[in-house]
Amino acid sequence: MQFAHDPETGRIVVIEINPRASRSSALASKATGFPIALISAMLAAGLDLDEIPYWQDTGLHKYRPTGDYVVVKFPRWAFEKFEGAVDKLGTQMRAVGEVMSIGKNYKEAFQKAVRSLEIGRSGLGFAKDFNELPLEEIMHMLVEPTSERQFLMYEALRKGASVKELYELTYIKEWFIEQMLELVKEEEEILKYKNGILPVELLKKAKTNGFADKYLAFLLDKKEDDIREMREAAGIEAKWEPVPVSGVEDAVYYYSTYNDIEDTPAEGNAKKVMILGGGPNRIGQGIEFDYCCVHAAFALRDAGYRTVMVNCNPETVSTDYDTSDILYFEPLTVEDVLNIYKKERPIGAIVQFGGQTPLNIARELSEQGVKILGTSIDTIDLAEDRELFRDITEKMDIPMPESGMAHNIEEAKAVAGRIGYPVMARPSFVLGGRGMEIVHDETMLVQYINRSTEITKDKPVLIDKFIDNAIEAEADALSDGESVFIPAIMEHIELAGIHSGDSACVIPSISIGRAQLEKISEYTEKIARELGVVGLINIQYAISGDDVYVLEANPRASRTVPLVSKVCDLSMARKATEIMMRREENGKGIIEQLRPLVFSHYGVKEAVFPFNMFHEVDPLLGPEMRSTGEVLGMADSFGLAFFKAQESTQSPLPLTGTVFISANDKDKPEMLKAAKRYAELGFDILATKGTCEYLLKNGIRAMSVKKLHEGRPNVLDSIANKEISMIINTPVGKKSQYDDSYIRKAAIKNRIPYITTTAAAIASAKGIAGFKESCAGGYKVKSLQEYHKG
């Protein structure tokens, strides 16, 4: 139930009631130690509260929440991923994830939440350029709520804004603003000792209020190691308090605090392995990495190890009390992880399952004495260094697209001129595919370089040859450093240029030739062995004609691991964990036990996008990832699997009606194949003038409709009148005078299935045909277990 409280009158009103689990149910469970879903299932099965055991009393009806701590949830946004998106918070949810932190007081918990967000900030102050703005401008920016509001308030208080002024502007309760003001005053006191020695009492106070070592190092212009040494020399160490799980005897999880409490000792001398989780869900990193961490924990438990899980995401299974043996609800930073490592003394830490989050701190952890299990940090860093990785592929005679580095506009022009347009440009200093763009000519290149303001001598732009009309493929593999096993090669349905996380894809491949598949297998084995990978590796390829090019290699878990595992009936995260631990014991043999897979079914992954939350954004796909999740459709034919995947995204393909088509000149030959198939399936075709003329010329019946600038009635009128069942609109490579984005935005607003690539248009036609054929033959559903029988 959601409530509103009027602070002036004290009146409380009910906003809405949801008689089900809600988004906040997971948060409430993790915050209180009360397993809401578990108890709800028992109640649904017919038990009453007084019949459910409660270890502290006679029954759960006697439960009362206890615990002397504070929990803070902080949402994670991704406005930077959506060009044209307005950073404004309101009644429409726009967060893509969240973090939860626990502290002994509000200030400690709040600051722990900030450093859990994975946004490159370890404290509230000096975010972006806010500290350099005049107070008047900051106050103007605070009028409307945005994702930066808390950070703006912090700087407003630093510049003299009063608690009352901020309350009247934001209506955030004065108590919260007063707490923030106390942090600001404390930070200003700390800043007086910049380049000097911070008094121990001030350091201790800062730690009890949640100031991170890294943030204090920034304020004092020192290294984080210096602050750690100073803190440890003064005896200022984190302590640990348990959160008991209600209704489960002796089940607890832990949070850290620098406040005075009775410390909880480490558990015994059993062999322990630490697993670093993925932090908050965000675009590019979601529950697929949590899946890997959870299966790693299960594999370790079965192998006789005690597992120590570290994560700060309340939405995940890894933060359930019974997934691991010891759970720490903590930020994934060097300081917080080191504190746990020093306390628990595990034999090592697994960093390759949590996505980019643990990899960002793995090098520092290793330098501080943390043993990294599986693939070495040097190997992971090498694969992310484009120049070093290219040297390795050249040595093995494995082709990569031509590329170069540029530190300024002139160098960029020279590199692009040498390798030829179109090119793929990306910042070398940003991981995870952010900032990537396909550049078609020199004008676009100059615009891209001018936007990339962070380019310096140490942070060049990478420019790769973009292989137009290439098929993309991925191989996920297991390796013990010598033997390599590839369960499947996944074919992307979208052509090269669409981020792998946004492209629909299929296992097994449906159109890649046998010779190319054999090359992919050969290259994958060579690279895994050369890098000495122990565990998982994902390699992405582009196929142009008979040529196969390596695009990138990631010697860690990728977002496709759960997909491959479920389609292939092989728990890759579990096997990778077993390989790592067997290698730790100087043994091998696991990969030799695996046998090549024979497929009698197809698995199609489709991405799920949040464009319905961003009506102002053009829903075009490109090299910048924008999807927030994915679904899997399985069937005995590709067409039906694709149809089921689309239906699972809650944007089902139509079986009858009118298909609107508008294609750029380059795409018209391929679009002709799709249009012909839609006509054969009984659809009427509506097309813009140029596309309609092309279809008619090639024998496809079609009706013409006007674009917005051509008068009325136009395509928007047809959309509004519910005359269109599906929209296919492929954009031109460069922005034209009359942009078609309004068509794609109208599709989202009116909940009409829309397609922006020719590959997806053809696949959708196959999907509709596959569904109709299955219905004619008697539609049957099969469980996952049935697909994998035999």
Side-chain angles (χ1 to χ4, degrees):
M1 296 178 69
Q2 295 186 24
F3 299 89
H5 170 243
D6 184 342
E8 293 186 9
T9 65
R11 183 177 177 233
I12 296 174
V13 296
V14 174
I15 298 174
E16 67 178 9
I17 301 172
N18 296 307
R20 53 169 173 78
S22 71
R23 184 177 305 104
S24 58
S25 298
L27 176 75
S29 293
K30 306 293 169 70
T32 61
F34 187 97
I36 291 174
L38 175 68
I39 302 303
S40 297
M42 291 180 178
L43 295 171
L47 292 173
D48 290 335
L49 282 173
D50 60 357
E51 296 174 301
I52 299 174
Y54 179 46
W55 64 273
Q56 286 187 340
D57 218 314
T58 55
L60 203 59
H61 65 298
K62 296 287 185 75
Y63 166 80
R64 293 294 180 272
T66 58
D68 184 17
Y69 57 87
V70 178
V71 172
V72 169
K73 179 206 93 171
F74 207 122
R76 176 68 154 81
W77 291 278
F79 289 103
E80 74 281 356
K81 290 281 187 179
F82 300 93
E83 186 179 351
V86 179
D87 185 349
K88 181 181 175 183
L89 307 182
T91 54
Q92 176 72 68
M93 178 178 164
R94 290 184 153 197
V96 294
E98 63 187 33
V99 298
M100 186 187 107
S101 66
I102 312 175
K104 204 63 183 165
N105 58 51
Y106 170 75
K107 286 180 279 194
E108 183 176 49
F110 190 64
Q111 297 221 79
K112 284 174 78 174
V114 169
R115 67 177 185 263
S116 299
L117 285 170
E118 292 285 314
I119 56 175
R121 299 175 190 175
S122 52
L124 282 158
F126 303 97
K128 292 187 175 179
D129 63 344
F130 300 154
N131 181 252
E132 299 168 12
L133 301 177
L135 178 59
E136 185 180 355
E137 187 174 343
I138 294 175
M139 297 297 274
H140 178 73
M141 294 168 73
L142 283 168
V143 171
E144 288 190 318
T146 69
S147 64
E148 299 286 6
R149 195 176 222 188
Q150 298 292 329
F151 303 95
L152 286 163
M153 286 172 59
Y154 199 81
E155 297 302 345
L157 289 167
R158 192 197 303 275
K159 291 181 181 292
S162 69
V163 171
K164 188 171 185 295
E165 286 174 323
L166 288 179
Y167 167 72
E168 291 173 348
L169 196 63
T170 65
Y171 285 97
I172 292 174
K173 281 193 172 183
E174 290 173 279
W175 185 87
F176 295 110
I177 305 173
E178 287 164 358
Q179 293 287 297
M180 186 178 280
L181 178 60
E182 289 176 18
L183 287 175
V184 171
K185 288 179 176 177
E186 191 170 340
E187 182 173 310
E188 289 297 302
E189 187 65 26
I190 292 167
L191 282 167
K192 293 177 183 177
Y193 295 91
K194 190 167 187 173
N195 297 315
I197 305 295
L198 189 67
V200 170
E201 283 306 309
L202 191 52
L203 175 59
K204 185 174 182 180
K205 184 184 176 187
K207 295 307 294 181
T208 60
N209 286 327
F211 282 92
D213 285 356
K214 188 173 182 179
Y215 191 64
L216 290 171
F218 166 75
L219 295 177
L220 298 170
D221 199 19
K222 294 182 183 295
K223 293 179 181 177
E224 185 176 353
D225 289 353
D226 297 336
I227 301 297
R228 186 181 302 113
E229 288 171 10
M230 184 193 316
R231 174 170 58 75
E232 290 175 351
I236 304 170
E237 302 272 5
K239 295 179 181 178
W240 307 94
E241 187 161 79
V243 176
V245 178
S246 303
V248 184
E249 192 167 2
D250 297 329
V252 298
Y253 47 92
Y254 300 94
Y255 73 93
S256 71
T257 179
Y258 284 91
N259 286 271
D260 289 329
I261 61 166
E262 186 176 334
D263 199 7
T264 305
E267 179 193 299
N269 295 315
K271 290 192 298 183
K272 302 175 198 169
V273 175
M274 177 184 278
I275 304 171
L276 300 189
N281 289 358
R282 62 262 198 202
I283 292 176
Q285 182 153 326
I287 54 172
E288 60 272 15
F289 294 109
D290 191 68
Y291 169 95
C292 294
C293 292
V294 169
H295 279 271
F298 293 162
L300 288 165
R301 181 179 293 170
D302 291 346
Y305 294 92
R306 300 282 288 171
T307 53
V308 180
M309 184 75 71
V310 185
N311 205 358
C312 56
N313 187 339
E315 303 169 312
T316 59
V317 180
S318 67
T319 50
D320 284 353
Y321 71 90
D322 55 354
T323 295
S324 56
D325 297 299
I326 309 165
L327 168 63
Y328 285 92
F329 226 110
E330 289 293 288
L332 287 141
T333 69
V334 173
E335 174 186 348
D336 298 289
V337 172
L338 267 183
N339 286 342
I340 300 166
Y341 195 86
K342 288 176 181 177
K343 177 190 175 187
E344 293 292 348
R345 296 294 176 191
I347 63 172
I350 296 177
V351 299
Q352 65 172 269
F353 290 147
Q356 202 59 50
T357 298
L359 297 183
N360 290 338
I361 59 173
R363 170 67 65 183
E364 289 181 76
L365 291 175
S366 179
E367 290 170 352
Q368 292 294 325
V370 174
K371 182 175 183 179
I372 306 300
L373 301 176
T375 303
S376 71
I377 291 303
D378 289 338
T379 293
I380 294 170
D381 288 348
L382 184 153
E384 289 181 343
D385 188 310
R386 301 285 291 184
E387 284 190 300
L388 291 177
F389 183 64
R390 180 177 289 277
D391 290 342
I392 285 178
T393 57
E394 285 179 355
K395 185 177 80 171
M396 293 186 290
D397 199 26
I398 296 175
M400 288 184 71
E402 281 191 83
S403 69
M405 285 193 180
H407 303 85
N408 53 52
I409 288 176
E410 293 310 313
E411 286 185 14
K413 287 180 183 177
V415 172
R418 173 174 56 83
I419 64 180
Y421 292 97
V423 297
M424 179 77 78
R426 73 185 87 190
S428 64
F429 48 90
V430 176
L431 298 172
R434 276 197 48 204
M436 293 171 62
E437 191 172 315
I438 300 170
V439 175
H440 293 269
D441 57 31
E442 191 172 287
T443 302
M444 285 185 71
L445 181 65
V446 171
Q447 291 171 348
Y448 177 84
I449 298 294
N450 285 336
R451 285 199 306 274
S452 302
T453 53
E454 294 179 69
I455 295 173
T456 65
K457 183 180 178 182
D458 299 322
K459 296 179 178 180
V461 163
L462 300 175
I463 300 175
D464 295 317
K465 174 66 181 173
F466 177 67
I467 306 169
D468 217 352
N469 292 316
I471 296 171
E472 280 203 36
E474 289 184 58
D476 280 290
L478 291 160
S479 171
D480 61 12
E482 295 175 21
S483 300
V484 180
F485 179 72
I486 306 166
I489 293 170
M490 181 187 311
E491 178 181 345
H492 290 203
I493 292 167
E494 315 286 354
L495 296 180
I498 307 300
H499 192 285
S500 60
D502 288 352
S503 176
C505 57
V506 58
I507 299 174
S509 162
I510 57 171
S511 66
I512 301 174
R514 186 180 186 84
Q516 284 74 36
L517 290 173
E518 287 176 355
K519 275 187 183 178
I520 289 172
S521 295
E522 177 195 343
Y523 293 167
T524 302
E525 289 184 27
K526 280 185 174 180
I527 291 169
R529 272 196 289 265
E530 182 67 24
L531 294 177
V533 170
V534 178
L536 290 165
I537 183 169
N538 168 271
I539 306 181
Q540 297 183 24
Y541 296 92
I543 303 162
S544 182
D546 294 332
D547 298 321
V548 176
Y549 299 90
V550 172
L551 298 179
E552 63 179 49
N554 297 303
R556 55 171 174 80
S558 71
R559 73 176 61 83
T560 53
V561 165
L563 174 69
V564 174
S565 298
K566 282 162 185 172
V567 177
C568 299
D569 191 25
L570 174 71
S571 179
M572 293 192 69
R574 172 178 281 274
K575 288 298 177 190
T577 305
E578 291 172 357
I579 288 167
M580 282 184 235
M581 302 320 296
R582 184 72 65 87
R583 182 65 177 263
E584 190 65 21
E585 297 164 356
N586 297 313
K588 288 185 287 187
I590 290 172
I591 287 182
E592 286 75 11
Q593 300 168 13
L594 302 174
R595 296 289 176 264
L597 305 174
V598 178
F599 293 95
S600 58
H601 60 273
Y602 291 85
V604 172
K605 179 213 91 173
E606 182 56 285
V608 178
F609 300 92
F611 292 121
N612 60 322
M613 308 287 187
F614 297 91
H615 289 164
E616 70 274 24
V617 174
D618 187 353
L620 273 183
L621 303 183
E624 178 90 42
M625 184 172 170
R626 294 168 133 197
S627 60
T628 50
E630 62 191 34
V631 296
L632 170 63
M634 289 179 68
D636 294 330
S637 69
F638 165 71
L640 182 56
F642 187 88
F643 185 92
K644 289 167 76 173
Q646 300 305 313
E647 192 167 32
S648 300
T649 67
Q650 301 195 13
S651 183
L653 298 172
L655 299 175
T656 59
T658 300
V659 176
F660 167 81
I661 302 176
S662 177
N664 65 56
D665 291 339
K666 183 186 72 166
D667 291 332
K668 281 173 182 169
E670 284 296 303
M671 193 62 76
L672 182 63
K673 298 176 187 176
K676 184 178 180 181
R677 195 73 182 96
Y678 285 115
E680 292 170 351
L681 289 165
F683 286 89
D684 294 323
I685 295 176
L686 193 64
T688 50
K689 184 180 177 183
T691 303
C692 185
E693 289 174 355
Y694 183 84
L695 295 177
L696 291 170
K697 182 181 173 183
N698 286 276
I700 305 293
R701 282 188 60 188
M703 298 172 289
S704 180
V705 66
K706 293 176 180 177
K707 289 190 176 185
L708 185 63
H709 66 276
E710 294 171 343
R712 300 188 76 169
N714 55 46
V715 62
L716 285 190
D717 295 316
S718 297
I719 291 171
N721 294 334
K722 312 292 184 187
E723 296 166 0
I724 294 174
S725 306
M726 185 164 69
I727 290 172
I728 303 172
N729 174 241
T730 67
V732 293
K734 294 193 298 178
K735 297 225 170 163
S736 60
Q737 181 183 359
Y738 299 109
D739 185 11
D740 281 353
S741 65
Y742 67 90
I743 299 174
R744 300 183 287 270
K745 291 175 184 175
I748 290 171
K749 189 175 181 181
N750 290 273
R751 298 182 178 276
I752 299 172
Y754 68 95
I755 292 167
T756 61
T757 66
T758 55
I762 293 169
S764 296
K766 289 180 181 177
I768 294 167
F771 181 75
K772 287 186 172 183
E773 287 166 13
S774 71
C775 289
Y779 187 87
K780 295 177 182 176
V781 296
K782 289 165 71 173
S783 67
L784 189 64
Q785 290 82 354
E786 285 177 283
Y787 279 111
H788 295 313
K789 268 183 184 175

